[in-house]
Amino acid sequence: MINIIIFFLCSLSGFLIGKFFEKRISEKGEFYRDLQKYVISFEENVEGRRVELSKFNDGFCDGSSESFVLYLKDKKTKIYFSKIQKKNLSAFFDNLSCISSQELLNHLNYFKRVFEEDGKRVNEEVSRANLYSKLGLLLGAMVGILLI
């Protein structure tokens, strides 16, 4: 009876650890989707409407993921990014107050391409993230068998 409980608990813990990593990767995917939408919407704003940045951010936050809203408001996030991704994010948001609208459009076009490339890599990670819960379950089951 104890053996069954040990096996079940190990399998469950492995599954939950896999789900944790799966959720972490999918949040990163949502963040990048929102970031790409943000760049496109802000480019349209600069070319047309010209709404002030703080008002634009408030309007954009309504349909965005929680992690992106937190990053927009105080540049803090619980999502793990690579060093290059962090550098790109900080360079993008730090230079949004360019002098002319043409400089800002050049900045937005450059980072649109950068974030599309990063987004492709993140989407590949997200497509593999579905395996994490299954791998966690299998590894937990293996540990449970070894402990029995």
Side-chain angles (χ1 to χ4, degrees):
M1 184 66 181
I2 285 274
N3 293 338
I4 295 173
I5 293 172
I6 290 172
F7 176 77
F8 177 75
L9 290 177
C10 288
S11 299
L12 180 65
S13 61
F15 176 76
L16 292 177
I17 290 170
K19 274 301 205 188
F20 169 77
F21 285 111
E22 183 179 338
K23 182 181 177 204
R24 194 167 136 183
I25 300 277
S26 20
E27 284 178 351
K28 189 176 182 180
E30 288 176 5
F31 184 92
Y32 263 89
R33 279 190 292 279
D34 287 339
L35 179 62
Q36 289 171 342
K37 287 182 205 171
Y38 180 84
V39 173
I40 292 169
S41 298
F42 194 63
E43 184 178 22
E44 291 172 359
N45 178 51
V46 170
E47 290 174 341
R49 291 175 275 157
R50 298 184 187 259
V51 175
E52 183 181 313
L53 180 62
S54 61
K55 290 180 183 176
F56 177 80
N57 287 347
D58 290 339
F60 191 82
C61 286
D62 291 339
S64 300
S65 64
E66 180 184 341
S67 57
F68 190 74
V69 171
L70 286 174
Y71 192 84
L72 267 183
K73 294 197 176 186
D74 53 349
K75 305 294 183 262
K76 294 180 183 175
T77 183
K78 57 186 176 184
I79 298 176
Y80 172 77
F81 293 109
S82 67
K83 289 180 183 179
I84 295 171
Q85 290 170 338
K86 284 181 186 177
K87 186 179 99 176
N88 288 340
L89 282 172
S90 64
F92 173 71
F93 283 106
D94 291 344
N95 295 324
L96 281 182
S97 57
C98 295
I99 296 171
S100 71
S101 61
Q102 188 58 41
E103 286 179 12
L104 186 56
L105 285 173
N106 292 339
H107 176 76
L108 290 171
N109 284 327
Y110 170 74
F111 277 101
K112 186 192 311 185
R113 289 189 305 271
V114 169
F115 292 143
E116 282 176 3
E117 292 171 13
D118 283 347
K120 287 177 186 175
R121 282 187 231 116
V122 169
N123 284 337
E124 289 173 7
E125 288 179 33
V126 168
S127 66
R128 288 184 302 220
N130 295 332
L131 294 174
Y132 290 167
S133 58
K134 296 168 187 152
L135 286 174
L137 178 66
L138 286 173
L139 289 174
M142 285 180 11
V143 169
I145 290 172
L146 289 174
L147 291 177
I148 293 178

